[in-house]
Amino acid sequence: FFFFFFFQAEDGIRDAQESRGLGQDLSSFASWVGPSEQEELARKLVASEVEHALQGSCPGTSVSAYGSSVNGIDLFDSDMDLAVWPKLRLADIAGALETHTDGGDKSVFRDVELIRAKVPIVTAIHIVSGISLDLSVGSGSGEEASSVLVRRLVAQHPQLVPLALVLKVLLTQKGLHEVYHGGIGSFRLYMLLASWLRASDRPVDLGECLLQFLHAHSQAIPAELIVGPVSVDLSSVRMEDCRLVFREALDALASRDLADMISVRTLNKARARSQQHAEQMLALHGGRRGEEPTTELPSPKRRKPNQQFAFKY
């Protein structure tokens, strides 16, 4: 009995140490994966370019950022969520982006598409920066209420941000990040995490939190959540695909090595590409217009450019 207890205790100590190592990796990863100062400025310039394009057909139009960039839970290559004011027809927004040029004959945006989902949006890609855009007609109270709720949940649950960031990378690499393609999406992921974290017996350690979350949601994902005053519908999510991704991630983390769960090589390549595009955007802007962007985009954090991520133990 003594020897059994000794080895059981030794295994428990080893598991705890490995979990803490995973938690440290998660903290480091969260500090690295956000936008750099150049990437944030490039985003401001892109938002200003969108505003400029829309004002060409509808003077007085403005755009405002909402979602992850406002809440400080954005990745360096996250899509930009922009609300358009005053309310325009989405077809007119799409048309303005499609026909907008750089002053010559070069288009500024590509792959412009009107997505007729539950919440219709216009998607596009800014050519020089490579930044993907999701434009919606501003509703005012809706975007603000969502941002206030997320900020409150972040304050209540310090584990939420690092967990959300690594899970967003995982879902993006697996093609399950876009709501209109059956993915979970950022806001629904925050609500899923918050709903799970609110249970009283959740661990404080980040590594253990990630393992338990993946285990729980590889078994079942609720079709509906109630988080505070908000009801969140997940019935359109590709449940089986998401459960499979979570199950595979959990299996990969048997090594307690985050690099076995996500493709670090792919991420580092994307980071280098994003930084290069940001620098090209800043150089082009400085050479063409020279003025500061007028559209406000909150900048809650700064990152050093051209920095690769590596897990260390």
Side-chain angles (χ1 to χ4, degrees), residues 38-284:
Q38 291 96 327
E39 287 162 338
E40 285 187 344
L41 183 53
R43 285 169 175 268
K44 290 181 180 181
L45 296 173
V46 170
S48 185
E49 191 77 68
V50 170
E51 193 170 81
H52 180 65
L54 297 179
Q55 287 177 347
S57 58
C58 186
T61 301
S62 64
V63 301
S64 59
Y66 69 96
S68 298
S69 60
V70 174
N71 300 320
I73 323 179
D74 51 335
L75 306 173
F76 64 85
D77 59 353
S78 288
D79 295 352
M80 283 185 67
D81 296 317
L82 297 174
V84 178
W85 306 89
K87 292 184 177 181
L88 302 177
R89 292 174 61 245
L90 288 175
D92 292 338
I93 295 174
L97 296 182
E98 283 181 327
T99 57
H100 186 60
T101 67
D102 61 356
D105 57 356
K106 292 184 178 180
S107 297
V108 174
F109 304 97
R110 65 175 173 86
D111 298 342
V112 180
E113 185 178 0
L114 201 168
I115 306 293
R116 301 187 183 279
K118 184 175 181 180
V119 179
I121 60 172
V122 171
T123 63
I125 297 175
H126 185 264
I127 293 174
V128 173
S129 68
I131 293 173
S132 297
L133 305 167
D134 291 347
L135 285 83
S136 60
V137 176
S139 62
S141 58
E143 289 94 357
E144 180 60 27
S146 296
S147 294
V148 169
L149 174 61
V150 172
R151 286 196 292 268
R152 189 174 80 235
L153 293 171
V154 166
Q156 292 172 351
H157 307 291
Q159 308 101 312
L160 194 151
V161 172
L163 291 175
L165 289 171
V166 74
L167 289 170
K168 284 171 76 169
V169 170
L170 174 67
L171 292 167
T172 298
Q173 291 187 347
K174 300 298 184 180
L176 288 167
H177 61 296
E178 294 178 329
V179 173
Y180 46 86
H181 289 149
I184 292 181
S186 293
F187 181 74
R188 294 198 289 193
L189 177 61
Y190 306 153
M191 297 301 105
L192 195 62
L193 279 165
S195 176
W196 183 79
L197 286 167
R198 292 175 89 168
S200 58
D201 59 344
R202 300 306 179 211
V204 175
D205 178 76
L206 276 177
E208 193 59 34
C209 254
L210 178 60
L211 294 170
Q212 290 192 19
F213 177 87
L214 290 172
H215 174 75
H217 294 86
S218 67
Q219 304 296 315
I221 298 173
E224 185 179 11
L225 294 170
I226 305 294
V227 182
V230 176
S231 174
V232 183
D233 181 12
L234 287 89
S235 61
S236 63
V237 170
R238 288 153 51 194
M239 296 291 191
E240 186 54 40
D241 290 338
C242 289
R243 288 196 299 267
L244 178 60
V245 165
F246 290 149
R247 185 160 57 249
E248 290 175 344
L250 182 64
D251 291 342
L253 286 177
S255 64
R256 299 298 194 270
D257 187 345
L258 201 56
D260 289 336
M261 189 185 87
I262 58 176
S263 172
V264 178
R265 183 178 180 183
T266 299
L267 200 60
N268 279 327
K269 285 183 177 180
R271 179 92 225 209
R273 187 166 55 249
S274 173
Q275 187 64 34
Q276 183 182 30
H277 286 165
E279 290 169 357
Q280 290 173 349
M281 182 68 183
L282 298 185
L284 178 65

Side-chain angles (χ1 to χ4, degrees), residues 26-47:
L26 281 166
S27 295
S28 298
F29 182 82
S31 298
W32 177 84
V33 78
S36 68
E37 186 172 359
Q38 291 96 327
E39 287 162 338
E40 285 187 344
L41 183 53
R43 285 169 175 268
K44 290 181 180 181
L45 296 173
V46 170

